[in-house]
Amino acid sequence: MAESVVLDPVDLHLLRLLQNDARTTYRDLAAQVGVAPSTCLDRVTRLRRSGVILGHRLRLDPAKLGRGLQALLSVQVRPHRRELVGPFVDRIRALPEARSVFHLTGPDDYLVHVAVADMADLQRLVLDEFTARREVARVETRLIFQQWECGPLLPPGHAQS
């Protein structure tokens, strides 16, 4: 398990702001946090180097890209052995429909978030890319009606504000 990093209130404020809008300029961040722009830059650089900030991503609307149907696929792999895990995950991650993959405990081994064009596309994906694989014992599909983003991720014990 990775070691946690000690964060002070200024760091936490910066992380809240950046998680809401990663394009905020250092000048605007500094003004909102109450530090000099150079201090702000140094702190964000330190947060990147320490691995707290992993990167910046552009969020896209799947429906506007012709992928208006999203689903969660619960996948059971048998036998669930190490030599199958890597290739299975690599294959799933390479699918253009895959949004994220989770390796789980419990009766299902993986939860895969997918975005597809329509029900026929989902059926094709499940049959051709999942159940056609020898190691896949079972796939259970749940459609996503709606999705919400949650607040910024902060260390335990730090209230959202």
Side-chain angles (χ1 to χ4, degrees):
M1 187 183 313
E3 284 187 37
S4 54
V5 175
V6 177
L7 303 170
D8 67 17
V10 173
D11 293 330
L12 293 170
H13 196 176
L14 285 169
L15 291 173
R16 278 188 196 98
L17 293 169
L18 286 169
Q19 286 182 81
N20 288 329
D21 183 1
R23 296 183 319 157
T24 305
T25 66
Y26 289 117
R27 180 174 304 186
D28 289 343
L29 282 172
Q32 291 180 63
V33 175
V35 298
S38 60
T39 301
C40 181
L41 174 61
D42 290 344
R43 283 180 172 261
V44 172
T45 300
R46 182 180 50 80
L47 291 167
R48 281 194 187 105
R49 284 190 183 135
S50 66
V52 173
I53 296 175
L54 298 176
H56 305 278
R57 293 198 175 177
L58 184 67
R59 289 179 42 226
L60 303 175
D61 182 342
K64 301 255 171 109
L65 297 174
R67 296 182 181 276
L69 181 64
Q70 295 186 65
L72 296 173
L73 308 178
S74 299
V75 183
Q76 195 175 71
V77 174
R78 294 294 176 259
H80 191 189
R81 294 195 318 248
R82 185 172 297 279
E83 63 268 15
L84 294 177
V85 169
F88 176 78
V89 171
D90 289 345
R91 175 64 191 135
I92 299 311
R93 290 184 67 210
L95 295 172
E97 298 88 353
R99 306 304 312 130
S100 54
V101 182
F102 302 90
H103 193 187
L104 309 172
T105 63
D108 296 315
D109 301 312
Y110 297 94
L111 184 64
V112 183
H113 176 197
V114 299
V116 295
D118 53 29
M119 196 62 75
D121 196 26
L122 179 60
Q123 181 181 24
R124 177 208 50 81
L125 179 69
V126 169
L127 294 175
D128 295 347
E129 300 295 344
F130 286 87
T131 60
R133 297 183 63 89
R134 260 194 320 249
E135 71 271 23
V136 173
R138 184 178 64 78
V139 175
E140 189 172 306
T141 304
R142 291 176 178 85
L143 298 180
I144 298 173
F145 291 136
Q146 196 166 359
Q147 178 181 357
W148 294 269
E149 294 291 326
C150 297
L153 179 64
L154 298 173
H158 291 83
Q160 305 282 13
S161 59

